[in-house]
Amino acid sequence: MPQRLHYREAGPADARNVLVLVHGFPFSSAMWRPQLDAPPAGWRVIAPDLPGFGESPPIEGDMLSMDAAADAVAGLIRDLGLESVVLGGLSMGGYVCFAFMRRHPKLVRALVLADTRPGPDSEQVRRGRLQSAAKVSGNGTGELIDGMLPKLLSPLTRKRQPEVEAEVRGIMEAATPAGVIAALHGMAARPDSTPMLRSITVPTLIVVGSDDVITPPGEAQLMSRGIPGSRIEPIVDAGHLPNLEQTADFDRLVHGFLESVAV
Ligand code: MLT
């Protein structure tokens, strides 16, 4: 039974064109603040909190699979009476997009993939995730946040925009241990989405921060080679969170793409 999700939204409620933005880990819909503050003209933007994050209730059990997350987002889209949407996801949100494309492709009219990768975890990364989950279970999320934060933002963002770092830290600190643990288990168990890339036939925009060390530009290039007709755009001086670090560039690229797929 898909989960009912809390979501934030912006733009006209009766818009024909709808963009759904899926957040990364361990964030929430709050990470899309700039995009919700300035939605593209005429578009409705919906940003769900994935199960166990923000204000959405957690999934039952201790694993949020990417499939369950995708089903929950699809349930929300159907509950809202939407026939099809442009789906966007950043990092873990991208993993959810791949699951979504496997399970609910008819609901997606176009795709935006930001700072993500189609491949599964290596054995080493998977083990690391399970160790992190055990530590979060014993000691809370502090160590995980301190370890992730320096890798999330470009050196320039850290130097020139301390407010972005503070915002990102605040969003991460709001995540509950249970939500974090379930997502760690779910990401560790996710399948390889590389083989299904060629079956993605909707218009696809791939964006990546040029300084992203978590899902580096090379991953985006591989993804772009796999998805027929996709367009790839680097965002200079951004790390893993270009929508927060270089908002104007991110929005310009996404809005331009949306114009090209509007109905
Ligand atoms: C994210 O931003 O969603 C995470 O870095 C994804 C991951 O840990 O693989």
Side-chain angles (χ1 to χ4, degrees), residues 23-27 31 90-95 115-117 121 125 129 148 152 184 187 190 212 214-215 240-241:
H23 64 80
F25 168 88
F27 309 115
M31 67 159 280
L90 185 142
S91 201
M92 180 179 75
Y95 312 158
D115 301 79
T116 191
R117 60 156 57 86
D121 285 352
V125 171
R129 293 222 202 256
M148 265 188 95
L152 284 170
L184 283 167
M187 287 192 289
R190 76 187 191 280
D212 187 346
I214 297 180
T215 47
H240 191 55
L241 301 173

Side-chain angles (χ1 to χ4, degrees), residues 27 142-159 165 168-169 172 211-214 239-241 245:
F27 309 115
E143 195 179 319
L144 177 124
I145 294 171
D146 289 342
M148 265 188 95
L149 200 53
K151 295 188 227 144
L152 284 170
L153 305 173
S154 77
L156 200 76
T157 303
R158 298 196 82 195
K159 191 163 154 213
E165 184 160 345
V168 171
R169 176 179 277 284
M172 293 167 96
D211 296 334
D212 187 346
V213 293
I214 297 180
H240 191 55
L241 301 173
E245 298 178 70

Side-chain angles (χ1 to χ4, degrees), residues 14-263:
D14 59 352
R16 286 160 54 100
N17 288 301
V18 180
L19 171 67
V20 174
L21 291 172
V22 184
H23 64 80
F25 168 88
F27 309 115
S28 70
S29 58
M31 67 159 280
W32 299 114
R33 176 196 49 75
Q35 287 64 46
L36 290 160
D37 282 352
W43 283 72
R44 182 180 185 188
V45 179
I46 293 177
D49 287 330
L50 291 176
F53 291 93
E55 293 178 43
S56 287
I59 204 98
E60 270 177 38
D62 68 353
M63 175 160 98
L64 174 63
S65 70
M66 299 301 104
D67 285 358
D71 290 355
V73 175
L76 171 64
I77 290 170
R78 291 203 177 93
D79 282 353
L80 292 170
L82 305 172
E83 264 172 36
S84 73
V85 302
V86 177
L87 184 67
L90 185 142
S91 201
M92 180 179 75
Y95 312 158
V96 175
C97 289
F98 295 129
F100 200 104
M101 293 308 286
R102 271 193 295 274
R103 297 166 75 81
H104 311 283
K106 292 206 166 73
L107 288 177
V108 183
R109 186 145 75 66
L111 202 53
V112 178
L113 296 168
D115 301 79
T116 191
R117 60 156 57 86
D121 285 352
S122 66
E123 205 36 59
Q124 192 190 354
V125 171
R126 191 174 295 134
R127 267 202 306 274
R129 293 222 202 256
L130 301 182
Q131 279 163 7
S132 285
K135 279 191 196 158
V136 171
S137 169
N139 308 324
T141 59
E143 195 179 319
L144 177 124
I145 294 171
D146 289 342
M148 265 188 95
L149 200 53
K151 295 188 227 144
L152 284 170
L153 305 173
S154 77
L156 200 76
T157 303
R158 298 196 82 195
K159 191 163 154 213
R160 301 240 179 104
Q161 301 186 86
E163 69 286 1
V164 171
E165 184 160 345
E167 180 173 11
V168 171
R169 176 179 277 284
I171 297 170
M172 293 167 96
E173 283 175 350
T176 63
V180 166
I181 291 167
L184 283 167
H185 288 157
M187 287 192 289
R190 76 187 191 280
D192 187 2
S193 294
T194 314
M196 57 87 63
L197 292 180
R198 71 178 99 86
S199 70
I200 299 180
T201 52
V202 294
T204 300
L205 172 69
I206 297 169
V207 297
V208 61
S210 60
D211 296 334
D212 187 346
V213 293
I214 297 180
T215 47
E219 291 282 349
Q221 270 148 18
L222 283 177
M223 204 157 58
S224 155
R225 281 203 279 279
I227 303 178
S230 58
R231 200 174 108 204
I232 176 167
E233 297 281 358
I235 300 185
V236 174
D237 288 332
H240 191 55
L241 301 173
N243 70 303
L244 287 162
E245 298 178 70
Q246 297 293 341
T247 298
D249 288 343
F250 180 90
D251 285 354
R252 180 178 47 75
L253 290 169
V254 171
H255 292 193
F257 174 70
L258 293 176
E259 263 172 40
S260 73
V261 297
V263 287

